[in-house]
Amino acid sequence: MELCEIQQLVRALGIGLLLLAAVHLNGQSPEEIERSTVEVDMLLEKAHATNRDDDKRSLLEQSLTMSRSLHYDGGVMRSSMLLGEMDVRQGKAEDGLQHYLEAEAKAQSNGNQPILLQAYAAIGDLFLHEKLYVNARRYYQDILKIRDQDIETMEKLADTYLYDAHSDSSEVYYKKLIVYYKEAGNVERLVRIYQKLANGYDQQGNPGKSLFYYLPIEDLIERFGSMQEKSILYNNLGRQYAALRDYNKAIEYFQKAELQCVYIPCDYPDVLYANMGIALHNNGNSKLGLDYMLKARAILVGRKDNVALANLEHLLAGVYFKSNDFYNAVSHNNIAIQLAQETKQYTVLAEAYKTAADLYQELYDFEKAFSYYKDYLNLVDSVRLEEQARQQRLNQQRSLLAEAEGQIKYLIARQNYKDLELGQVRFERERLELLNKNLELESKEKEAKILLFQTQKAVDEAKQRELTLEALRARQDLRLAAETLESEKKNREIIELKRQDEKHVIDSTVRARELQLLRKDKDIADLQLGQQATFRKLVYGLGGLLLVILGMVAIGWAFARRTNNRLNKQNRQIQAQNLEIAEERHKSDRLLRNVLPVEIAQELKTTGHATPRSYESVSVLFTDFVNFTRLSATMAPKELINELDECFLVFDEICEKYNLEKIKTIGDAYMCAGGIPVPNSTHPVDAVSAAWEMLEWLEMRNKTNNQAIFREMRIGIHTGPVVAGVIGKNKFAYDIWGDAVNMAARLEQHGESGKINVSSQTAHAIKGRFKVHHRGIRDVYNKGPMDMFFVEGPK
């Protein structure tokens, strides 16, 4: 191979190295980068620009789908936040929560603090709106861990404590805000904080503490407020004093509010006149009080506000009743009944029925009194049951939303785990590609070195041949010179003999020969100089070729070092990804184990689904609190949840102790089963042992806790075949089905308080460990006659 060809190969190899480095440094093709940034951003801009919700949602969903497929986390976060806002605005709390949690997860993994704070605030606001105050507090506290002086978040955190009846905790944060707003001179915000505290204590039935916070509002409004604000304040202060039965002070503030209304148009004169009338009546001036209340009535009649008018008519009936004006009392009460029926205000209607019963009793019309009182009782029961059902629906919805948070986090963690696995595969593939390229370059480098060696060898051989030829040529020249000298010597002897005769001729011949010899010596010297110049050119060429090859080797070494650095960096990234994958796997496993049994969770994680299974023998246990409906009707929702939570937490521990699997809770009913998901032969004894310990715990609680509400409980247990499996696609739930479940529920319904009612199958299985008493045959709905046994205790 010629020298110029070798130089061209070196230049081509160097260009290839540079191009390869450029490709691997970019990581993505220009088309991919443009698609992941420009197209997604354009969709988001279009979504911002449109006002139609359908179009906005379609654009945002396209943006989210594209961002997910491209692993463009910035697009995922922005699309998810905007979709979450739309869902919450349209009342789709669970969908909104899912989008917010996805944005939160991406922001955490990318270290994007602004988006993370937005997600925390949005999730906290969602839970606050849904009255899940504990969940909302958790996210607001996360914000304050990052920004401890976030005033807006601090106020929301205080609101969660206030609405959740934790007044002391709310005051701690509100007082910090009061100090801050005082220093900032922000009167409007200061009034708002005091008003929240006053309203909170007012709703809790603590007018004294409410008044305590109204007084600084009075000071601020009188110094900085408008006449309209003063009028509202005086009316509120009058209400607080009336609640404290300080009617003189209440009338004083109502009069101040009325005086403000002389100078400005009031938005609520009917409310003011009604409050004034009630305060005057309670202070002994019923005549003037009725005048004010009738003025309020005239305003409401003119405004056709039948909702408020129904309440006022009932109040007027009560005032007339206490003034012994039964005719007007009956008249206004009848109007209140009619308006309450029209406006479907069943609480007002029930109170009007009660007032009518009392009125007719005073008028000795006992038949009507009895009829109205019966209507009152029926309506109160109906209202109470409807309110209880409504509260149960709300509690169920809130419970589902709270559970959805954990399930969504699990699904997001699972998806992140899969994304990390894909990322690891992608990194590994790129590493292998880079390694292959490096091997190819090393191979080319070796080929170039071999080519250089072969070229060097060929040059050395050519040089050796040239030297050999020079030596042969020199030897031949010397031989010719020797022969010439010998010939010349002989010629000289002949010339010497003939010198005498041919002296002149001989001298001429000698001179010619000498000139000829001089020309030959000069030609030999010129030939040697030419050969030396050719040799120098060859050496210079070989030196240049060697320098080029050395440069090529240096470039190959530099690229190999650079490639090795990139490989080391890739290895470090893969190790970090492995650690993150392990952490996400641990997190998702923990979440899954909280939702499903360990064996089912393992199967679901391994195969992606859980196969339903049949069990030949399983012991199903049901518990139910006696008189739950009647007792819960007298309890606040929070008190009811706390009471059930205390009991069910202990039941969970007992089930875990006896190797039972909790299935679910249905209202006050608790359902668990033994012998699943891993079959065993001890499940009947385990179930009865657990039931016995539940009864013992409830009895001990009744003795030590006088405040306990649920004090009696029935338990039913049946042993038989069931089918168990996981239902749901996104919200997993492990459940069991079969006749054994229905039989256990019937046994609980036919049981007695404080006793364990079991079937003959269960009784036969436990007879070696427990004493049982045959209580006879009972007719069971849809099952017919059935033997039942009471468990009397362990043997």
Side-chain angles (χ1 to χ4, degrees):
M1 183 177 289
E2 296 296 333
L3 180 63
C4 60
E5 293 178 352
I6 296 173
Q7 291 172 342
Q8 289 174 0
L9 175 63
V10 171
R11 282 197 299 270
L13 185 59
I15 294 170
L17 291 170
L18 293 174
L19 289 174
L20 181 61
V23 169
H24 279 280
L25 285 173
N26 286 339
Q28 279 184 312
S29 67
E31 293 79 8
E32 238 179 11
I33 294 173
E34 183 179 0
R35 185 183 175 200
S36 63
T37 56
V38 177
E39 291 186 17
V40 171
D41 292 342
M42 286 177 62
L43 287 171
L44 288 169
E45 288 176 7
K46 288 180 181 178
H48 275 296
T50 184
N51 294 322
R52 296 184 66 241
D53 282 351
D54 291 342
D55 295 341
K56 185 185 290 286
R57 180 176 293 278
S58 176
L59 290 167
L60 290 174
E61 287 176 348
Q62 289 180 45
S63 170
L64 182 59
T65 302
M66 187 180 295
S67 299
R68 284 171 177 165
S69 66
L70 297 168
H71 304 285
Y72 177 33
D73 289 346
V76 171
M77 289 185 285
R78 291 161 61 196
S79 303
S80 297
M81 288 299 297
L82 291 172
L83 279 168
E85 291 172 8
M86 282 194 67
D87 290 331
V88 171
R89 190 174 67 250
Q90 294 173 358
K92 302 174 182 177
E94 190 172 334
D95 293 340
L97 178 61
Q98 180 176 347
H99 286 119
Y100 285 148
L101 287 173
E102 184 173 4
E104 177 207 2
K106 291 296 183 185
Q108 282 182 337
S109 62
N110 286 275
N112 192 323
Q113 194 175 93
I115 295 292
L116 183 61
L117 291 171
Q118 289 180 30
Y120 282 157
I123 298 170
D125 292 346
L126 186 151
F127 281 129
L128 179 62
H129 180 266
E130 296 296 326
K131 299 184 179 179
L132 289 166
Y133 303 119
V134 175
N135 300 67
R137 275 199 292 275
R138 189 167 67 249
Y139 287 94
Y140 292 146
Q141 287 166 346
D142 286 341
I143 295 175
L144 292 176
K145 287 176 186 175
I146 301 172
R147 293 194 313 208
D148 59 350
Q149 297 300 317
D150 191 325
I151 300 302
E152 294 291 337
T153 302
M154 194 180 297
E155 185 172 344
K156 291 176 182 177
L157 180 60
D159 292 344
T160 64
Y161 282 115
L162 181 68
Y163 301 152
D164 205 18
H166 292 85
S167 304
D168 294 339
S169 299
S170 69
E171 278 192 89
V172 171
Y173 289 100
Y174 281 136
K175 285 178 179 177
K176 290 181 182 179
L177 294 168
I178 288 170
V179 171
Y180 175 82
Y181 288 135
K182 279 183 177 178
E183 292 176 352
N186 193 331
V187 176
E188 182 181 353
R189 289 294 182 92
L190 199 56
V191 169
R192 187 173 77 181
I193 299 301
Y194 283 129
Q195 187 69 56
K196 283 185 176 182
L197 283 163
N199 290 342
Y201 283 111
D202 187 20
Q203 292 171 2
Q204 294 173 24
N206 190 344
K209 200 68 180 284
S210 178
L211 182 61
F212 174 79
Y213 285 108
Y214 265 120
L215 294 178
I217 297 177
E218 181 182 11
D219 176 62
L220 291 169
I221 293 298
E222 286 188 341
R223 283 192 294 155
F224 305 106
S226 64
M227 296 182 71
Q228 182 75 24
E229 291 169 338
K230 290 178 183 178
S231 174
I232 296 171
L233 170 68
Y234 294 146
N235 181 66
N236 290 337
L237 282 166
R239 279 196 316 104
Q240 298 308 315
Y241 280 113
L244 292 168
R245 299 184 183 279
D246 188 348
Y247 298 114
N248 289 324
K249 200 74 174 174
I251 292 169
E252 177 186 339
Y253 276 102
F254 287 139
Q255 287 174 341
K256 282 186 176 182
E258 185 181 14
L259 183 62
Q260 298 295 323
C261 291
V262 172
Y263 302 103
I264 60 169
C266 290
D267 296 332
Y268 57 96
D270 51 311
V271 176
L272 175 60
Y273 292 150
N275 288 339
M276 176 72 89
I278 294 169
L280 287 167
H281 167 70
N282 288 330
N283 204 34
N285 192 349
S286 297
K287 184 177 182 305
L288 185 57
L290 283 169
D291 290 341
Y292 272 102
M293 293 180 75
L294 291 172
K295 286 170 67 177
R297 180 179 184 275
I299 293 172
L300 293 176
V301 169
R303 206 163 62 206
K304 296 181 180 180
D305 188 352
N306 290 343
V307 174
L309 190 58
N311 284 277
L312 185 59
E313 292 287 359
H314 182 251
L315 289 173
L316 279 166
V319 172
Y320 279 120
F321 186 16
K322 289 181 180 179
S323 302
N324 294 323
D325 187 348
F326 299 128
Y327 174 78
N328 279 318
V330 170
S331 175
H332 285 285
N333 197 61
N334 287 337
I335 296 173
I337 290 172
Q338 179 185 351
L339 292 174
Q341 288 174 336
E342 291 175 358
T343 56
K344 297 182 180 179
Q345 297 183 81
Y346 297 116
T347 303
V348 177
L349 183 59
E351 292 300 322
Y353 283 153
K354 177 70 166 53
T355 302
D358 294 338
L359 279 168
Y360 283 113
Q361 184 177 0
E362 291 294 328
L363 294 172
Y364 301 101
D365 192 342
F366 297 113
E367 185 177 351
K368 281 188 176 181
F370 177 76
S371 175
Y372 275 113
Y373 194 72
K374 188 170 76 171
D375 290 341
Y376 161 72
L377 291 176
N378 290 334
L379 188 55
V380 165
D381 286 341
S382 175
V383 169
R384 187 183 70 248
L385 290 173
E386 185 177 348
E387 177 62 20
Q388 181 181 343
R390 188 182 70 84
Q391 285 295 333
Q392 286 180 346
R393 286 196 300 271
L394 288 175
N395 290 335
Q396 186 178 12
Q397 290 172 359
R398 291 167 186 164
S399 176
L400 289 173
L401 186 61
E403 290 175 2
E405 179 188 8
Q407 292 169 352
I408 292 168
K409 281 188 174 181
Y410 163 72
L411 292 173
I412 290 173
R414 187 176 174 186
Q415 184 60 45
N416 288 341
Y417 168 70
K418 289 184 178 179
D419 291 343
L420 288 171
E421 282 188 331
L422 289 173
Q424 185 183 16
V425 170
R426 199 162 50 248
F427 273 122
E428 184 66 19
R429 185 183 63 205
E430 291 177 359
R431 188 182 72 83
L432 291 174
E433 288 177 355
L434 198 59
L435 190 60
N436 288 334
K437 295 291 184 182
N438 193 28
L439 291 173
E440 289 178 7
L441 289 173
E442 288 179 355
S443 175
K444 289 182 179 180
E445 183 182 353
K446 288 179 180 179
E447 290 177 359
K449 286 181 179 179
I450 292 171
L451 180 61
L452 176 63
F453 176 76
Q454 291 174 345
T455 305
Q456 181 67 39
K457 183 178 179 182
V459 169
D460 290 342
E461 290 176 352
K463 181 179 178 182
Q464 185 66 33
R465 285 195 300 272
E466 186 69 23
L467 290 174
T468 303
L469 289 173
E470 286 293 327
L472 292 172
R473 190 179 296 111
R475 187 181 301 169
Q476 183 68 27
D477 291 341
L478 287 173
R479 187 182 296 113
L480 289 172
E483 290 176 355
T484 303
L485 287 173
E486 185 66 26
S487 176
E488 288 295 329
K489 184 178 178 181
K490 289 179 179 180
N491 289 333
R492 284 175 185 169
E493 289 177 354
I494 294 170
I495 292 169
E496 182 66 26
L497 292 172
K498 295 180 178 181
R499 185 177 55 183
Q500 296 294 327
D501 298 326
E502 301 175 354
K503 184 178 181 179
H504 180 74
V505 176
I506 293 170
D507 290 338
S508 300
T509 303
V510 171
R511 282 195 300 270
R513 288 289 184 184
E514 288 178 353
L515 288 172
Q516 186 178 3
L517 287 173
L518 287 173
R519 278 194 297 273
K520 284 184 179 180
D521 290 338
K522 184 180 179 182
D523 290 340
I524 290 170
D526 291 340
L527 180 61
Q528 289 176 344
L529 288 174
Q531 288 174 346
Q532 289 175 358
T534 302
F535 179 73
R536 280 196 300 272
K537 287 181 182 180
L538 180 62
V539 171
Y540 291 154
L542 290 174
L545 176 62
L546 184 61
L547 287 175
V548 170
I549 292 173
L550 288 174
M552 181 183 69
V553 171
I555 291 172
W557 176 82
F559 181 74
R561 183 176 178 183
R562 188 175 185 180
T563 303
N564 287 332
N565 289 337
R566 288 206 60 193
L567 285 173
N568 292 333
K569 183 178 178 182
Q570 289 279 2
N571 288 331
R572 288 194 296 272
Q573 289 177 342
I574 290 171
Q575 290 173 359
Q577 289 284 348
N578 287 335
L579 290 175
E580 191 173 352
I581 287 171
E583 183 180 353
E584 291 294 336
R585 183 187 293 115
H586 178 68
K587 187 187 299 182
S588 64
D589 289 347
R590 187 175 65 252
L591 288 170
L592 192 58
R593 285 196 298 271
N594 288 337
V595 178
L596 301 174
V598 175
E599 294 78 6
I600 302 302
Q602 185 63 34
E603 180 184 0
L604 188 65
K605 186 176 69 173
T606 304
T607 65
H609 66 278
T611 305
R613 298 178 185 175
S614 296
Y615 296 86
E616 291 299 323
S617 181
V618 170
S619 292
V620 183
L621 183 152
F622 273 90
T623 74
D624 191 70
F625 291 110
V626 179
N627 295 325
F628 172 77
T629 302
R630 178 175 61 79
L631 292 171
S632 62
T634 64
M635 301 169 65
K638 180 177 176 60
E639 184 183 8
L640 174 63
I641 295 301
N642 289 340
E643 185 80 7
L644 288 174
D645 190 47
E646 180 182 357
C647 297
F648 289 163
L649 282 175
V650 175
F651 292 177
D652 288 345
E653 293 174 359
I654 293 172
C655 286
E656 186 175 357
K657 176 180 177 182
Y658 289 100
N659 197 27
L660 302 183
E661 185 68 36
K662 176 184 176 182
I663 304 301
K664 59 186 171 184
T665 59
I666 311 164
D668 65 319
Y670 185 94
M671 177 183 173
C672 59
I676 57 170
V678 179
N680 61 61
S681 59
T682 63
H683 58 83
V685 175
D686 295 337
V688 175
S689 300
W692 193 262
E693 189 165 329
M694 289 176 184
L695 288 175
E696 287 181 339
W697 174 82
L698 189 63
E699 183 179 357
M700 180 62 67
R701 179 172 178 263
N702 292 339
K703 292 177 181 178
T704 58
N705 183 5
N706 294 329
Q707 303 298 321
I709 305 299
F710 303 137
R711 309 177 74 85
E712 298 178 286
M713 181 173 69
R714 297 185 302 268
I715 299 181
I717 302 175
H718 176 66
T719 302
V722 301
V723 174
V726 176
I727 58 175
K729 179 181 179 182
N730 294 327
K731 297 181 180 178
F732 305 120
Y734 184 70
D735 208 346
I736 58 176
W737 304 271
D739 192 56
V741 179
N742 298 328
M743 293 294 285
R746 298 289 187 272
L747 285 163
E748 175 271 312
Q749 293 167 3
H750 284 270
E752 293 181 5
S753 173
K755 294 188 177 182
I756 304 171
N757 192 25
V758 301
S759 65
S760 58
Q761 291 87 339
T762 305
H764 178 73
I766 66 171
K767 64 183 179 180
R769 295 284 298 276
F770 289 89
K771 298 175 185 177
V772 294
H773 167 67
H774 185 233
R775 56 181 299 213
I777 297 176
R778 297 289 188 275
D779 191 26
V780 177
Y781 178 70
N782 276 344
K783 300 297 177 185
M786 179 178 176
D787 282 308
M788 296 188 185
F789 299 79
F790 278 145
V791 179
E792 295 182 344
K795 287 186 177 181

